[in-house]
Amino acid sequence: NMANDGQFKDKHGGAGAVKAIRRNTDFRGLAAGHETEVRAELQAEGRASIVERNAIRLQTAADLYFEAVIKAFQDGELDRADSYIRQYGWLAGAALRAWAQLRGESREKPEDVQAVISLYREDGGQDA
């Protein structure tokens, strides 16, 4: 039904966000609202917090797919196992990259860094 296709088109906002990224245009709709939330999280918690959140979510999804692979093999459903292995591989690789990224991130919040810089300037930049 064409009316339903339009009604349910891109309710989650993800497809629109991907299109905007590919076209190098501003986010609209749900994606624009969520971008504001991500920017607020970045300001409040810092980049390392976002990287950590993403690493945890990717690892969780990878672990679930790994369990699904095992179950599919146990059930003798090789086509399903093959599909799950592809998803697991992508997620495991993405999680590994996120964990590696997190290892290099500073755990300080942006305002903590600014406070240290301010103290350094007030002290005249002299070493203790």
Side-chain angles (χ1 to χ4, degrees):
N1 184 324
M2 291 300 283
N4 284 345
D5 289 344
Q7 181 181 358
F8 294 110
K9 184 179 177 199
D10 197 26
K11 277 198 173 235
H12 55 77
V18 170
K19 285 179 192 172
I21 290 167
R22 287 183 178 150
R23 295 176 180 164
N24 197 27
T25 59
D26 291 340
F27 288 142
R28 295 173 37 188
L30 290 172
H34 197 72
E35 180 183 24
T36 301
E37 293 173 18
V38 171
R39 288 180 184 279
E41 180 184 359
L42 178 63
Q43 283 295 105
E45 302 297 328
R47 192 170 74 176
S49 175
I50 293 173
V51 173
E52 180 178 43
R53 173 175 47 90
N54 288 340
I56 290 168
R57 290 171 61 84
L58 287 162
Q59 187 65 56
T60 299
D63 291 351
L64 289 168
Y65 264 100
F66 186 77
E67 290 175 12
V69 167
I70 301 299
K71 177 82 168 88
F73 275 125
Q74 289 172 342
D75 294 347
E77 297 182 17
L78 301 183
D79 286 344
R80 192 166 53 112
D82 187 52
S83 170
Y84 290 165
I85 286 170
R86 282 194 299 276
Q87 287 294 330
Y88 167 76
W90 181 86
L91 287 162
L96 247 141
R97 289 188 299 276
W99 290 122
Q101 172 85 26
L102 183 60
R103 186 174 49 234
E105 291 289 334
S106 167
R107 301 302 297 161
E108 297 168 337
K109 293 181 184 176
E111 60 270 15
D112 295 339
V113 173
Q114 290 303 317
V116 169
I117 291 170
S118 295
L119 285 173
Y120 181 78
R121 287 185 179 149
E122 288 171 12
D123 193 32
Q126 300 300 316
D127 290 334

